[in-house]
Amino acid sequence: MDFFVKVLGQRFIKRTFFFDGRIPIYHLYFSDEAGTPGTVMTTFPMLRTGLLGRKGSGQFTAIAYSIPAGSLDFWREHLARSKVQVAGESERFGEKYIRFVHAGIDFELVEDPTDLRPAWKSEYVPQQYAVRGFHNWMAAVRELEDMEDFLKVAWKFRLTRSDGKFKRYEAVDGGPGKRIDIAHEPDMRQGTWTLGQGIVHHGAFDVADYDAQASVKFDIEGMGYTDFSDRKNRGYFESIYVRTPGGVMFEATKSLGFKMDEDEDSLGSELMIAPELAARYSRDEVLALMQRDDPIHI
């Protein structure tokens, strides 16, 4: 929570529990002011379960946030003050990235003067330097061809740029929050697909409505990609999941909003018990489990 709120300057908008499984695992949400698609990062603190992820191909390997032009110097200083070490600086597609690691996950910042989305008015990061939302995600795959076909034909993204081993795909008119970068890593070991500490389990793509979501599933299953889930209610959105041919898990999600159980001014202030857990435990029992010092193994 300190990392996303005090370092990245995001709003903590919802605290609840993972909707699958019998063990209470926190599901925490961070975003702009209202939880706008393209800004929402969710985390499952998995340390208490004893599950560790193995980073590798077939995963999202980095999450890049968009910042205003001229902000990188501020962020270098801000990260240093926050005792977050810059792990590297690089350039892709003519854009300069700085990279840092939290809980094993790689994060990046990149200046994008075209990103005019309003920023959350954080007390920790001045608004003129604040993150605007996702710039792009990075995914690594061993086999590129089938993943490219899936992105272009099934997922309706278009190839817009290439830079060595990297290819950028964008949705519709493209721009920040509508990009996925693919790294071709033929010699990289396959990463784990389970939930685990230190890896990104999936990435969620916003769809306009249930008809669009159903069409995505129907059309892609008709192409033979049948490793698709049924629609799952997650409280604040409804989702379907597909394992892509590159191994990376994609989610097509219809947002339901975050104000159904809290006022906008108080988002994230209450602990919301997932219905599956509420049917199994009382609220006091859930809280007692979460206060244990020893790991809760799945």
Side-chain angles (χ1 to χ4, degrees):
M1 291 170 64
D2 282 346
F3 172 76
F4 285 104
V5 173
K6 296 181 181 180
V7 179
L8 285 183
Q10 295 289 271
R11 184 181 187 185
F12 183 34
I13 59 164
K14 192 65 63 178
R15 66 180 83 194
T16 183
F17 291 100
F18 190 47
F19 273 50
D20 290 334
R22 61 183 177 83
I23 300 298
I25 300 171
Y26 281 127
H27 193 171
L28 310 177
Y29 295 75
F30 307 88
S31 70
D32 66 356
E33 182 174 6
T36 307
T39 73
V40 181
M41 176 72 185
T42 74
T43 67
F44 313 118
M46 298 299 297
L47 179 63
R48 64 189 293 109
T49 68
L51 293 178
L52 298 176
R54 183 183 68 248
K55 297 171 78 168
S57 68
Q59 292 176 343
F60 288 99
T61 54
I63 300 161
Y65 284 93
S66 172
I67 57 175
S71 298
L72 280 178
D73 285 343
F74 164 82
W75 278 96
R76 291 186 186 98
E77 296 171 1
H78 175 65
L79 291 170
R81 287 194 303 270
S82 303
K83 296 181 172 53
V84 176
Q85 183 177 357
V86 172
E89 301 200 22
S90 60
E91 185 171 317
R92 301 193 301 270
F93 309 112
E95 301 167 328
K96 293 182 178 179
Y97 289 77
I98 60 174
R99 181 174 62 88
F100 46 98
V101 181
H102 176 72
I105 296 174
D106 288 56
F107 293 87
E108 296 178 311
L109 296 171
V110 55
E111 293 181 351
D112 188 342
T114 71
D115 192 348
L116 303 179
R117 291 175 291 179
W120 164 242
K121 295 179 181 179
S122 165
E123 63 181 287
Y124 301 101
V125 178
Q127 198 168 14
Q128 67 265 35
Y129 303 121
V131 299
R132 268 40 185 173
F134 297 128
H135 178 271
N136 68 271
W137 298 332
M138 176 70 72
V141 299
R142 289 172 59 93
E143 307 294 338
L144 185 61
E145 294 83 1
D146 290 345
M147 188 66 180
E148 286 190 296
D149 287 343
F150 181 89
L151 284 166
K152 290 187 287 189
V153 179
W155 215 245
K156 310 299 184 186
F157 273 43
R158 56 192 176 88
L159 177 65
T160 57
R161 306 184 75 175
S162 297
D163 186 354
K165 69 178 181 180
F166 302 107
K167 293 183 182 293
R168 172 163 290 174
Y169 289 85
E170 299 187 76
V172 196
D173 53 345
K178 299 179 182 178
R179 302 179 176 120
I180 178 171
D181 293 349
I182 303 295
H184 184 207
E185 300 284 4
D187 299 321
M188 181 180 287
R189 185 185 181 192
Q190 172 70 52
T192 48
W193 287 351
T194 59
L195 290 168
Q197 184 188 3
I199 59 172
V200 179
H201 183 257
H202 64 270
F205 298 79
D206 182 52
V207 294
D209 52 43
Y210 291 119
D211 288 342
Q213 188 183 61
S215 179
V216 167
K217 179 176 169 66
F218 185 76
D219 291 346
I220 294 177
E221 285 183 329
M223 297 176 186
Y225 297 106
T226 56
D227 191 9
F228 236 120
S229 76
D230 293 329
R231 180 180 291 150
K232 296 178 180 291
N233 186 289
R234 302 308 196 189
Y236 309 101
F237 48 92
E238 295 198 9
S239 300
I240 54 175
Y241 302 83
V242 61
R243 182 70 67 184
T244 68
V248 190
M249 177 76 81
F250 281 12
E251 172 186 341
T253 184
K254 168 66 178 74
S255 176
L256 304 176
F258 293 94
K259 294 183 285 186
M260 63 180 64
D261 51 11
E262 291 181 292
D263 294 333
E264 184 169 336
D265 291 342
S266 59
L267 287 174
S269 61
E270 294 292 331
L271 177 61
M272 303 301 174
I273 307 296
E276 289 81 353
L277 292 176
R280 184 182 296 269
Y281 304 108
S282 71
R283 186 180 183 88
D284 288 343
E285 288 173 330
V286 172
L287 294 177
L289 282 171
M290 300 311 291
Q291 291 166 3
R292 284 171 46 177
D293 293 330
D294 58 314
I296 301 175
H297 293 287
I298 292 178

